[in-house]
Amino acid sequence: MNHRLFISDLHLCESRPAIIAAFVQFLENTAAHAEALYILGDLFEYWAGDDAIAMGAHQASIAALKKLSQQGVNIYLIHGNRDFLLGDSFAQHTGVKILPDPSLVTYDNKPILLSHGDTLCTDDIAYQQFRSEVRTEAWQTTFLSQPLNERVAYIESIRAKSEQEKSIKSMTIMDVNRTAVEQLFKTHQFPPTLIHGHTHRPKQHQHVVEGHHCERWVLGDWYDHGSYLQLDENGLHERTLA
Ligand code: LP5
Ligand code: MN
């Protein structure tokens, strides 16, 4: 069976050229041999709108995504809290298919639930309030009607505010809430596997939800090195890039 790959939280930005190079290499050397690549959010440090494609800051990554999809690899993306403005133009330009959060897919006749993971951090009340505001169509239409440089400046100010607030939030508040995770498993008829990112705390967790054994795999970020999960006929495997 053809294998599939899962990544998240790369936070690609011009100031970290090594990670951009690692991502391009990963697409060319690793993802090119897969049947599908799932990007579970926060591919970019931030995405201010699809008109950023023309600005060229992410030229190498975008070209590599386009090449990979043209080679026949299915690329799927779930929005992260940093790049939820990735839209139809980005999808058309790259061939990436944007999936809703959460999405249920099947592999080897088994369901696998995919999410960015931020919706599970329900103890982070300030973040959830911020999230529900910026995810409305009205807010996004107003935001996207501003010039790109103003949007970028606004995002920089939110980033500063977010970093300041994160420094005083506990690690527990910023992790997923167990009840929210169990509710998600229940809503989707207890799939044996959930894969998500966002917390940057790569680990495999076991949950028993109403008697059902459910595994939760948390993806790692790409700050120090790249990492991904590979799914094949033998199950999920953690892989690290040199
Ligand atoms: O991303 P990460 O892991 O560092 O932190 C997240 C939460 N923070 C965010 C904010 C993003 O990092 C920055 C914005 C991304 C760009 C989006 C592009 C679209 C435009 C949006 C512009 C409004 O998501 C952080 C969580 C953390 O994950 C762990 O789960 O805690 O949440 C926060 O820290 C949010 C604060 O608690 C609330 C922020 C309120 C901002 C209020 C606006 C103030 C206006 C000031 C500017 C004039
Ligand atoms: Mn995130």
Side-chain angles (χ1 to χ4, degrees), residues 9 42 81 116 198:
D9 302 286
D42 290 355
N81 56 299
H116 177 55
H198 182 65

Side-chain angles (χ1 to χ4, degrees), residues 76-87:
Y76 301 98
L77 179 141
I78 288 181
H79 286 143
N81 56 299
R82 304 290 194 102
D83 53 14
F84 61 86
L85 290 175
L86 286 166

Side-chain angles (χ1 to χ4, degrees), residues 13-181:
C13 64
E14 274 179 307
S15 62
R16 293 190 301 133
I19 297 299
I20 296 177
F23 177 58
V24 171
Q25 265 187 33
F26 167 75
L27 296 184
E28 287 176 352
N29 302 335
T30 307
H33 305 290
E35 163 197 56
L37 170 68
Y38 291 85
I39 304 170
L40 302 187
D42 290 355
L43 174 62
F44 297 106
E45 176 75 351
Y46 62 78
W47 190 258
D50 283 357
D51 47 347
I53 298 171
M55 300 307 288
H58 296 296
Q59 211 167 18
S61 313
I62 287 170
L65 283 167
K66 186 174 179 171
K67 188 173 154 203
L68 187 67
S69 64
Q70 284 173 343
Q71 286 169 342
V73 177
N74 289 305
I75 313 176
Y76 301 98
L77 179 141
I78 288 181
H79 286 143
N81 56 299
R82 304 290 194 102
D83 53 14
F84 61 86
L85 290 175
L86 286 166
D88 291 344
S89 301
F90 172 83
Q92 271 163 27
H93 186 84
T94 55
V96 169
K97 300 165 193 81
I98 298 180
L99 298 177
D101 186 353
S103 280
L104 200 59
V105 299
T106 52
Y107 183 80
D108 206 6
N109 293 319
K110 293 184 204 80
I112 300 175
L113 193 56
L114 306 175
S115 175
H116 177 55
D118 57 324
T119 54
L120 299 170
C121 302
T122 52
D123 296 327
D124 196 341
I125 308 288
Y127 169 66
Q128 293 301 337
Q129 280 171 351
F130 167 76
R131 185 185 192 281
S132 51
E133 189 179 344
V134 298
R135 296 299 181 102
T136 62
E137 207 177 316
W139 187 92
Q140 292 186 15
T141 305
T142 308
F143 184 73
L144 290 171
S145 69
Q146 296 166 38
L148 181 60
N149 63 332
E150 286 178 28
R151 273 177 274 148
V152 168
Y154 188 65
I155 289 171
E156 297 291 354
S157 68
I158 300 286
R159 288 280 324 117
K161 174 94 176 139
S162 174
E163 286 304 312
Q164 179 202 337
E165 294 209 4
K166 274 174 26 180
S167 70
I168 51 169
K169 283 180 195 172
S170 75
M171 290 300 274
T172 311
I173 281 179
M174 290 190 288
D175 203 352
V176 299
N177 171 290
R178 200 162 185 93
T179 307
V181 170

Side-chain angles (χ1 to χ4, degrees), residues 202-237:
K203 203 175 165 180
Q204 188 186 347
H205 300 264
Q206 306 296 330
H207 296 261
V208 179
V209 194
E210 298 185 7
H212 301 264
H213 287 265
C214 303
E215 272 184 3
R216 178 169 65 91
W217 291 72
V218 185
L219 292 160
D221 62 41
W222 281 45
Y223 282 147
D224 296 327
H225 53 78
S227 61
Y228 61 98
L229 286 180
Q230 177 167 323
L231 176 65
D232 57 34
E233 59 273 20
N234 299 314
L236 275 166
H237 317 276

